[in-house]
């Protein structure tokens, strides 16, 4: 058995050791995915700032939050500036914190009551809720029932369009769907930001990497006490 372990770890360590210096590419991919999403969301709030403030503060059809102007400004600035920080890989871990808070507020205040899915599944047999429903989870059963209702409405809408509209033209850019507006996207972005919070901007592919490398080298060159050197290792 020990021989098998030695063989396994010899292969494992050599193979994945080669990938060590490429691990920053994964974090770069996350940053490049998230940055335009955050920047676009922030710019949209900025260009319609008065409407954003009204939506934040209105308790009837909006979020009913206190200090709507302040919160709208904070959300706008967080998404715009945080998005650009992610893009360039600068202060990534610090930027991830307010961005995660923004996603958390969006999930809880805007999307929570709509369940998980951003776009409502229209086929219960292929819905990801089916597996959970099969083990008897009530909320998953509700999701499948919602999928059945969505399917009926979509089919009726298609029939109306086929009878009264240019259906081929209307669907030329994609199929019609029912927007469920659940927490799916906000939760996904939160998890991606959580990865960046723990791992940073990425080796070789972020400004953080080079600034950190240079700063730690300066501290080492200044000659701190020997006991502190172990905490100032320059990144590879």
């Amino acid at each position: 058995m020990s021989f098998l372990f030695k063989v396994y770890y010899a292969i494992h360590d050599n193979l994945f050791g080669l990938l060590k210096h490429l691990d920053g590419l994964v974090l770069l991919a996350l940053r490049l995915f998230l940055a335009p999403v955050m920047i676009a969301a922030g710019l949209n709030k900025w260009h319609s700032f008065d409407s954003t403030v009204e939506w934040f503060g209105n308790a009837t059809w909006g979020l009913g939050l206190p200090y709507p102007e302040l919160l709208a400004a904070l959300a706008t600035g967080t998404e715009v500036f945080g998005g650009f920080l992610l893009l360039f890989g600068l202060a990534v871990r610090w930027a991830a914190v307010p961005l995660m808070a923004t996603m958390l507020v969006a999930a809880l205040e805007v999307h929570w009551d709509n369940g998980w899915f951003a776009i409502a599944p229209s086929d219960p047999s292929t819905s990801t809720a089916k597996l959970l429903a099969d083990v008897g989870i009530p909320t998953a059963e509700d999701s499948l029932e919602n999928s059945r209702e969505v399917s009926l409405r979509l089919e009726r809408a298609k029939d109306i369009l086929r009878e009264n509209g240019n259906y081929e033209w209307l669907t030329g850019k994609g199929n019609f769907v029912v927007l469920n507006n659940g927490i799916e996207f906000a939760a996904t972005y939160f998890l991606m930001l959580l990865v960046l919070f723990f791992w940073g901007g990425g080796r070789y592919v972020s400004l953080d990497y080079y600034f950190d490398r240079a700063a730690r080298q300066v501290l080492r060159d200044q000659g701190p006490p020997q006991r502190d050197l172990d905490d100032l290792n320059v990144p590879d």
Side-chain angles (χ1 to χ4, degrees):
M1 183 63 70
S2 61
F3 173 76
L4 292 178
F5 283 152
K6 288 179 180 179
V7 171
Y8 169 77
Y9 281 111
I11 297 173
H12 176 279
D13 293 347
N14 281 282
L15 174 61
F16 291 104
L18 294 174
L19 298 179
K20 175 182 178 182
H21 294 285
L22 299 177
D23 57 12
L25 295 178
V26 177
L27 301 170
L28 175 63
L30 290 180
R31 286 168 34 220
L32 294 180
F33 184 97
L34 286 167
V37 173
M38 299 300 162
I39 294 170
L43 290 178
N44 183 59
K45 290 181 177 67
W46 185 13
H47 291 313
S48 55
F49 189 74
D50 291 339
S51 298
T52 301
V53 171
E54 188 175 2
W55 179 55
F56 271 44
N58 193 294
T60 303
W61 53 267
L63 302 181
L65 299 175
Y67 312 110
E69 289 189 356
L70 174 62
L71 293 179
L74 289 174
T76 301
T78 294
E79 290 174 342
V80 172
F81 293 110
F84 277 109
L85 290 175
L86 294 184
L87 182 63
F88 294 109
L90 180 62
V92 168
R93 285 175 163 168
W94 296 105
V97 174
L99 287 172
M100 283 192 293
T102 301
M103 293 302 102
L104 192 61
V105 170
L108 296 177
E109 295 292 334
V110 181
H111 306 289
W112 185 264
D113 291 339
N114 300 321
W116 172 259
F117 295 107
I119 297 175
S122 58
D123 185 352
S125 65
T126 59
S127 171
T128 54
K130 187 177 187 306
L131 178 62
L132 299 178
D134 288 342
V135 297
I137 297 179
T139 53
E141 293 280 2
D142 294 341
S143 179
L144 291 185
E145 180 59 31
N146 185 64
S147 295
R148 297 183 188 98
E149 293 296 325
V150 166
S151 179
L152 292 174
R153 285 160 172 75
L154 279 176
E155 287 304 316
R156 180 58 182 141
K158 291 176 183 177
D159 289 341
I160 294 172
L161 290 171
R162 290 189 184 102
E163 294 170 5
N164 302 287
N166 190 342
Y167 183 77
E168 297 298 327
W169 177 78
L170 289 170
T171 58
K173 296 297 184 180
N175 295 327
F176 288 106
V177 298
V178 172
L179 181 65
N180 195 61
N181 205 28
I183 68 171
E184 182 177 4
F185 289 161
T188 301
Y189 298 151
F190 179 89
L191 292 175
M192 296 170 74
L193 288 163
L194 190 63
V195 172
L196 293 177
F197 173 73
F198 276 99
W199 292 95
R203 190 195 312 258
Y204 306 133
V205 294
S206 66
L207 291 177
D208 282 344
Y209 171 79
Y210 294 102
F211 288 157
D212 182 68
R213 186 182 178 91
R216 290 178 185 274
Q217 187 60 56
V218 168
L219 292 176
R220 290 178 65 87
D221 291 344
Q222 289 178 350
Q226 184 64 40
R227 62 179 179 274
D228 295 336
L229 285 176
D230 291 338
D231 296 328
L232 297 174
N233 289 329
V234 177
D236 294 335

